[in-house]
Amino acid sequence: MSINVTKPYLPPLQEYIGYLEGIWERGWLTNNGPLVQQLETELSAALSGGLVQFMSNGTIALQVAIKALELTGEIITTPFSYVATTTAILWEGCEPVFVDIEEQSFCIDATKIEAAITPRTSAILATHVYGYPCDVLAIEDIARRHNLKVIYDGAHAFGVTVHGRSLLTYGDITTCSFHATKLFHTSEGGAIITTSEELAKKVWLYKSFGHIGDEYFSLGVNGKNSEFHAAMGLCNLPRVPEFIAARRQVAELYQAELASLNLRYPVTPPATEYNYSYFPIILESEEQMQLVKDTLAAHDVNTRRYFFPSLNKLPYHTGADCPVSEDISLRVLCLPFYQQLEHDEVRRISQLIKEALA
Ligand SMILES: *Cc1c(COP(=O)(O)O)cnc(C)c1O
């Protein structure tokens, strides 16, 4: 049987059917239904009081965030992320300006941000890569001194705490993805989190075509999500601590099994409670990475070059050189990693990697 790099958690079917029965009784399928409202309330409580808007996906959340903050001109961003981080900027008619990542967390290097600020810079859009937090305090300080907005792409960061607070509550807006491949998922889905009531209201309008009933207020788009997706979220949300604990065991087993190899891993920054959302390894060279990838593929074990390419090298948009990101993106490989992954499979995969590199 083939092993994928991720496997979505499915709750007990009866539990989901319980929610479906409610949906059938009410006949209310979407447009801010009771399950969407309940999920938003429970998420807001889980995220130390950040105001959470449930959205159709993490990409539309990024686009709506850029619109809601009225960003124009240049947005300083990271080259080491999923492609949606960059394409959202371009889609909204802004220009991504790449600042290289730092060697430990693989997040944007905050010490290099100021050199990239120009009179056209309106914001910083950074990703908490694999759930490792950006240097949120340094970025907050830079943004305040230069009057810039801050958006975090928190697609990997659900369940992470930093300096005693949910990582998703930093910045003007944090976006999240609840796609089936993420630690907490609603099949498809995403969120915008902000601590500003005013921004939350604006986002609510933007995700609902900009009108309430017959009153029209602003431009908008359809960024809503449905009762069916909310139901999946309500089933999965209480299990997140369980997911994180199980993933931690898988991660620790991989690390123990692979300890004899010369691999690098990202380093968890201080004051962080990590969520174990991915298991990336950094090989010594691209050749070694490809060898491991091919060896595992020959045994029906799928891995993912995540992230590759470095986003300053996209065919339709080229940015300034980012040597650290370019180097890491050639050598990184995400191994199969999910809470239900059998420990015997972890041992087998680790053995195959050791044989490939022997
Ligand atoms: C998954 C992901 C997205 C996109 O989220 P969708 O819900 O799939 O649209 C954006 N940024 C990062 C870093 C991601 O991992």
Side-chain angles (χ1 to χ4, degrees), residues 168-247:
L168 301 182
T169 60
Y170 287 87
D172 293 285
I173 287 180
T174 295
T175 63
C176 205
S177 167
F178 304 149
H179 184 259
T181 55
K182 312 293 196 220
L183 168 73
F184 164 71
H185 81 87
T186 61
S187 318
E188 285 276 1
I192 279 186
I193 300 115
T194 175
T195 51
S196 153
E197 298 260 357
E198 194 188 325
L199 262 179
K201 275 191 195 135
K202 199 164 169 185
V203 167
W204 194 91
L205 270 177
Y206 278 20
K207 76 167 182 183
S208 323
F209 301 102
H211 74 99
I212 302 175
D214 292 338
E215 270 203 276
Y216 287 73
F217 297 95
S218 68
L219 195 64
V221 71
N222 187 357
K224 296 176 274 93
N225 211 332
S226 80
E227 293 291 278
F228 297 89
H229 295 83
M232 183 62 88
L234 288 167
C235 292
N236 290 343
L237 185 59
R239 297 186 161 94
V240 169
E242 216 177 284
F243 296 165
I244 293 176
R247 295 166 86 100

Side-chain angles (χ1 to χ4, degrees), residues 68-142:
L69 291 169
E70 299 173 29
L71 303 184
T72 57
E74 296 171 359
I75 299 179
I76 290 175
T77 190
T78 176
F80 195 70
S81 184
Y82 183 57
V83 68
T85 315
T86 297
T87 52
I89 294 172
L90 292 165
W91 199 271
E92 292 303 323
C94 297
E95 196 182 325
V97 172
F98 295 102
V99 165
D100 209 352
I101 56 172
E102 60 96 2
E103 294 269 6
Q104 304 284 304
S105 67
F106 303 162
C107 295
I108 197 166
D109 188 339
T111 65
K112 294 188 177 142
I113 290 176
E114 281 193 282
I117 296 173
T118 75
R120 297 186 63 231
T121 309
S122 61
I124 301 163
L125 168 44
T127 301
H128 302 303
V129 177
Y130 309 128
Y132 296 105
C134 296
D135 189 342
V136 286
L137 300 183
I139 291 172
E140 194 169 279
D141 179 55
I142 294 165

